[in-house]
Amino acid sequence: MLFLVSVTPALAEEVSLHGFAQGNYAGRITGEELPGPEGGDFLLGEERFQIKLSGASEGSRFFLKSDFFRDAVFRKTETDLREAYLDYGGGFFDLRLGRQIITWGVGDLLFINDIFPKDYAAFFSGRPLEYLKIGSDAAKVDLFSNVVSAELVVIPFFQSDTLPAPERFFLFDPFPGLPRTAEEPRAEFENTELALRLYRSLFGFDTAVYAYKGFFRTSGMRPDSPLAPSRVNLFFPRLAVYGASGQGNALGGVTGLEAAYYDSLDDRSGRDPSIPNSMAKYLAGYQRQLLSDLTAGIQYYGEYLLDHGSYRETLPAGFPAQDRLRQLLTLRLTQFFRYQTLRLSLFAFYSPTDEDYYFIPEVRYSFTDALWGAVGANVFGGSKKTAPFGQLDKNDNVYVTTRYEF
């Protein structure tokens, strides 16, 4: 793939080069510190340089996006090839081959049919939102017709979600201090992930149905001994997802609905506590403009765990139990000032079932067309220290980002 990208610019009729230089820093404000050199006050200390190179010629196009960065917390300098792909098509089909970021579904920071990898460590530590998504090494084919269009994604190389690391975040750990062995799906034909989306406009709504066969992107944890564990194996159970979504103008705003059935292929009986049970996920969202330059969006999200009785019967003593029904509410407020150069925003998660919350207030100002800066915070809390956001309570942080784009 890199070879193709390196030679294609010489053949392209139109070539463009863009990118940015960025500083991004986040400090924990709870006064808590983890042991080890990475566990101090700073969650993030980064200088990052990105180039975006693209070109097109005779129905084909290439795109390359790569980051070079210095991580001062982990004291390392690395490169990150975020995207590199070739496009070819015209008429009734498009083909994209290479590393690419794919986004499906209608949720706002809630993902049901978007089963592609994500970086939650970046999200919780104040990196810009674009770093929440991770590129997949995949082939994507789009087929267009007047009746229904289709998008088929083939992913031969598994990529897990990136979760907060215990060296940098306070987290709940059911097996504290035990060594771990991670076992990802091997790069074999039988482990190739397949995802299909069929979509069309229906009664003014953008509608889609989805199907996916692959793996959970968050690992299960299985100790070597249930009574006296000395090691924990991290593994990724098989998963199939079947879902649908619709989004369109209604009730004076934009309304979205989405749902999916998660089929836990390796534990359909729900009796293995190390593997997530099958479940139904659903959401309803609504957003509208309230005043000039002020918009608001709300969402309701639910997860209904199947075979909950079997799950409770086999859960080891002392482990926190997941509720049969998990509910989550979100609110997004965005206000612009000064000819839209100044943006005030708030995104809030609140779960009445987990009794926890996560707030993200942010102020962003564009000094020029090329230079902007942002100051924000990640505020976690809750009464349950094992809940998704409650466990992050000690990681409240303030972040600062400045970026110069060219």
Side-chain angles (χ1 to χ4, degrees), residues 125-193:
S125 58
R127 284 201 185 103
L129 185 59
E130 67 201 70
Y131 287 93
L132 174 59
K133 299 301 295 282
I134 301 174
S136 299
D137 296 317
K140 182 167 72 72
V141 181
D142 286 276
L143 300 173
F144 308 107
S145 80
N146 293 328
V147 178
V148 64
S149 297
E151 188 173 62
L152 173 66
V153 181
V154 180
I155 308 175
F157 308 108
F158 176 78
Q159 172 67 55
S160 66
D161 287 341
T162 300
L163 302 178
E167 296 85 1
R168 206 180 297 217
F169 283 84
F170 288 92
L171 302 166
F172 169 71
D173 186 347
F175 303 102
L178 293 186
R180 281 102 207 279
T181 302
E183 183 180 346
E184 292 194 347
R186 290 164 55 90
E188 297 177 345
F189 289 126
E190 64 186 33
N191 290 336
T192 297
E193 299 168 70

Side-chain angles (χ1 to χ4, degrees), residues 9 30 168 206:
T30 57
R168 206 180 297 217
D206 296 325

Side-chain angles (χ1 to χ4, degrees), residues 233-283:
N233 181 42
L234 307 179
F235 64 104
F236 297 86
R238 294 183 302 139
L239 171 69
V241 180
Y242 312 98
S245 70
Q247 187 175 51
N249 295 324
L251 305 174
V254 178
T255 301
L257 299 170
E258 185 171 358
Y261 170 64
Y262 276 50
D263 186 358
S264 185
L265 299 175
D266 288 335
D267 184 31
R268 281 179 162 161
S269 67
R271 301 194 64 81
D272 187 339
S274 63
I275 298 177
N277 281 23
S278 298
M279 65 179 70
K281 298 185 178 184
Y282 47 90
L283 72 79

Side-chain angles (χ1 to χ4, degrees), residues 9 21 41 55 85-86 116 118 144 159 181 217 228 230 254 260 283 305 313 316 332 354 369 392:
D41 289 330
Y85 57 77
L86 292 175
F116 304 105
K118 299 163 190 72
F144 308 107
Q159 172 67 55
T181 302
R217 297 202 182 277
S230 61
V254 178
L283 72 79
L305 195 69
E313 290 174 5
R332 178 186 288 278
D354 292 328
D369 290 341
L392 296 165

Side-chain angles (χ1 to χ4, degrees), residues 58 82 90 128 138 193 286 288 292 295 315 326 375:
E58 298 181 354
R82 295 191 53 76
E193 299 168 70
Y286 177 73
R288 67 174 296 173
S292 177
T295 58
L315 190 68
R326 177 176 181 242
V375 178

Side-chain angles (χ1 to χ4, degrees), residues 186-208:
R186 290 164 55 90
E188 297 177 345
F189 289 126
E190 64 186 33
N191 290 336
T192 297
E193 299 168 70
L194 300 174
L196 176 67
R197 181 172 73 105
L198 303 176
Y199 60 97
R200 67 159 295 167
S201 178
L202 201 62
F203 303 113
F205 276 67
D206 296 325
T207 61

Side-chain angles (χ1 to χ4, degrees), residues 323-397:
D323 292 333
R324 185 190 300 272
L325 175 62
R326 177 176 181 242
Q327 300 178 86
L328 192 61
L329 304 170
T330 75
L331 168 68
R332 178 186 288 278
L333 294 173
T334 304
Q335 172 73 66
F336 287 95
F337 296 98
R338 298 176 62 86
Y339 305 103
Q340 298 197 337
T341 58
L342 175 62
R343 185 185 71 192
L344 275 60
S345 64
L346 170 68
F347 197 96
F349 298 87
Y350 171 69
S351 171
T353 49
D354 292 328
E355 299 177 358
D356 63 349
Y357 58 84
Y358 175 27
F359 300 149
I360 315 170
E362 185 182 86
V363 179
R364 171 172 160 158
Y365 183 68
S366 297
F367 300 96
T368 68
D369 290 341
L371 178 65
W372 60 263
V375 178
N378 293 288
V379 182
F380 311 93
S383 59
K384 300 179 182 177
K385 302 310 176 187
T386 58
F389 301 134
Q391 66 173 315
L392 296 165
D393 190 25
K394 296 181 179 178
N395 300 291
D396 293 351
N397 62 83

